[in-house]
């Protein structure tokens, strides 16, 4: 499965903690877009799509949430429960984000601008495209 977990270095001192992320240094792509989501209720499932080319890194910078990942052959669930944990998701990977805790803030670093044509939103079409 084209996913990878990144434990970003935490630089802490008496003032608190700082986590730097640098494109092509500690993540594998150039960042063209950043977006974030919050106020998602626990029973809500977001995502439910794959991307044809987009690469992304998801970081839950407050609270926690889970991400179901599916490459058409196997599935796994990642718990984004640390503020320095980044989940890389490559192309052709179905994702569903769920069980957002109260106050969860999910930040996403993306390798490209928003392009609706890059989405595969139909699960059967996704399975056809990967198999
Ligand atoms: C993904 C997961 C992790 C924009 O106008 N610009 C944007 O950059 C994005 C990401 C979304 N939108 C619009 C499109 C929809 O009208 O915002 C609305 C909500 O987007 P969507 O339903 O696609 O959100 P999620 O949470 O289901 O999925 C998002 C990303 O779209 C997707 O690329 O991998 O987060």
């Amino acid at each position: 499965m084209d996913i990878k977990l990144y434990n970003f270095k935490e630089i802490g001192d008496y003032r608190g903690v700082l986590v730097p992320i640098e494109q092509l240094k500690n993540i594998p792509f150039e960042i063209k877009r950043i977006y974030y989501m919050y106020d998602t209720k626990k029973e809500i499932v977001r995502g439910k799509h794959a991307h044809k080319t987009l690469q992304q890194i998801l970081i839950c910078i407050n609270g926690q949430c889970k991400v179901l990942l599916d490459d058409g052959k196997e599935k796994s669930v990642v718990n984004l429960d640390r503020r320095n944990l980044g989940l890389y998701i490559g192309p052709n990977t179905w994702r569903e984000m769920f069980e957002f805790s109260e106050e969860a803030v999910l930040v996403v670093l993306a390798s490209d601008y928003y392009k609706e044509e890059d989405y595969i939103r139909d699960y059967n079409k996704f399975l056809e495209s990967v198999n």
Side-chain angles (χ1 to χ4, degrees), residues 5-7 58-60 79-87:
L5 289 173
Y6 287 86
N7 284 297
L58 281 59
I59 309 161
C60 204
N79 199 4
L80 290 179
D81 58 357
R82 280 185 287 118
R83 286 174 281 199
N84 70 322
L85 178 64
L87 168 63

Side-chain angles (χ1 to χ4, degrees), residues 24-60:
L24 302 176
K25 286 194 175 172
N26 56 353
I27 64 163
F29 56 81
E30 290 185 2
I31 302 163
K32 286 204 178 144
R33 178 167 52 109
I34 299 171
Y35 59 92
Y36 51 94
M37 56 194 82
Y38 51 88
D39 277 355
T40 296
K41 299 264 184 294
K42 190 167 187 185
E43 63 277 11
I44 295 293
V45 180
R46 303 192 66 120
K48 297 189 185 174
H49 56 253
H51 281 281
K52 295 173 189 165
T53 62
L54 192 68
Q55 303 175 75
Q56 301 194 103
I57 290 189
L58 281 59
I59 309 161
C60 204

Side-chain angles (χ1 to χ4, degrees), residues 17 19 21 26 32 37 39 50 56 61 64 71 89 98-100 106-107 130:
V17 181
V19 178
I21 298 173
N26 56 353
K32 286 204 178 144
M37 56 194 82
D39 277 355
Q56 301 194 103
I61 60 160
Q64 54 181 284
D71 65 2
I89 309 179
F98 63 103
E99 282 186 24
F100 284 78
L106 181 63
V107 175
V130 290

